Amino acid sequence: MSDYLDCVITEHNPAQKDIDRAVIWLHGLGASGHDFEPVVPQLGLANDMAVRFVFPHAPKRAVTVNGGMVMPAWYDILEMSLERKIDVAQIEASSQQIQDLIRREIERGVAPEHIVIAGFSQGGAVAYHVALSYPERLAGLMTLSTYLATNENIAYSAANKDMPILIEHGSHDPVVPVILGEQAQKLLSDKGYNVTYRTYPMAHQVCMPQIQNIGKWLNSVLA
């Protein structure tokens, strides 16, 4: 039996029908599973869908670029160059923990093709690694204000070659420059993936127009 990550669970429409859709959404560096919990009621999800949102808490670890301070982190960031040198072994370990959460949702009765993997910033880098390598077809991949950190380490899965991918970024992001979102979009589009790419006039954050667009996208891929 797996030792699952601690998670915040929020359910949309659980009284309407049995939960048969899921979104596993990863927070950014130094945050927690509560970070995106308030967003769920603002998404405008369809009333005929019952969706479980799973917001895992990252383990606490020392982060080199923050002076070795211990904080919730999916992996260590070794330097803040544009290439974003990271601890690949840690991102792979975190990806395995998220795959465990996917399997738990499947055991609860949610088909893999009804599961979305999402992540913000550092969580988005893990979401890329998980979804692009997952051996069964998923509903979609959503990455926000992030970068594709492990392109050379991902065993790209043919099962998810046609998976919808939503990449969104702030055009004024000082933490993860928008060029990194553009690079991920180009790399995946060149590989033949179905990518939707949007930017918003904001920094390293989310905004209400974006949340509304995310809700529309979730309604589409989870329908």
Side-chain angles (χ1 to χ4, degrees), residues 126-182:
V126 177
Y128 273 129
H129 199 91
V130 172
L132 294 172
S133 65
Y134 198 72
E136 296 179 271
R137 175 62 153 80
L138 297 167
L141 166 64
M142 179 175 74
T143 62
L144 311 175
S145 304
T146 189
Y147 53 99
L148 180 46
T150 53
N151 174 51
E152 296 179 0
N153 307 95
I154 294 172
Y156 284 87
S157 167
N160 282 301
K161 191 69 178 182
D162 65 342
M163 169 184 63
I165 300 174
L166 177 64
I167 301 175
E168 300 201 326
H169 218 106
S171 56
H172 311 313
D173 192 332
V175 178
V176 180
V178 68
I179 190 173
L180 294 178
E182 295 167 354

Side-chain angles (χ1 to χ4, degrees), residues 12 39-47 49 53 208 211-220:
H12 165 75
V39 167
V40 175
Q42 302 174 325
L43 291 169
L45 296 181
N47 289 328
M49 287 197 307
F53 284 81
M208 185 51 68
I211 290 168
Q212 292 168 342
N213 283 329
I214 288 171
K216 293 174 184 175
W217 183 80
L218 287 174
N219 279 331
S220 172

Side-chain angles (χ1 to χ4, degrees), residues 177-222:
V178 68
I179 190 173
L180 294 178
E182 295 167 354
Q183 287 176 355
Q185 182 272 331
K186 184 178 188 307
L187 188 151
L188 293 174
S189 294
D190 288 349
K191 288 179 179 290
Y193 283 91
N194 173 21
V195 180
T196 299
Y197 178 72
R198 298 193 190 104
T199 60
Y200 299 84
M202 63 181 185
H204 195 61
Q205 61 191 107
V206 294
C207 62
M208 185 51 68
Q210 177 187 24
I211 290 168
Q212 292 168 342
N213 283 329
I214 288 171
K216 293 174 184 175
W217 183 80
L218 287 174
N219 279 331
S220 172
V221 300
L222 291 174

Side-chain angles (χ1 to χ4, degrees), residues 111-124:
E113 63 267 24
H114 293 154
I115 298 174
V116 167
I117 305 301
F120 176 82
S121 195
Q122 200 188 51

Side-chain angles (χ1 to χ4, degrees), residues 57-133:
H57 299 293
K60 291 185 177 180
R61 66 178 92 238
V63 178
T64 300
V65 296
N66 286 345
M69 186 181 298
V70 175
M71 63 183 64
W74 297 108
Y75 53 88
D76 188 15
I77 302 173
L78 304 174
E79 60 182 48
M80 286 295 284
S81 62
L82 197 59
E83 291 74 26
R84 285 298 197 280
K85 187 177 179 183
I86 66 163
D87 189 316
V88 175
Q90 289 181 356
I91 204 172
E92 289 175 341
S94 289
S95 297
Q96 184 58 58
Q97 291 177 303
I98 303 307
Q99 289 195 30
D100 290 343
L101 295 179
I102 295 174
R103 281 192 289 273
R104 183 169 68 175
E105 289 307 307
I106 294 171
E107 290 167 2
R108 288 171 166 172
V110 181
E113 63 267 24
H114 293 154
I115 298 174
V116 167
I117 305 301
F120 176 82
S121 195
Q122 200 188 51
V126 177
Y128 273 129
H129 199 91
V130 172
L132 294 172
S133 65

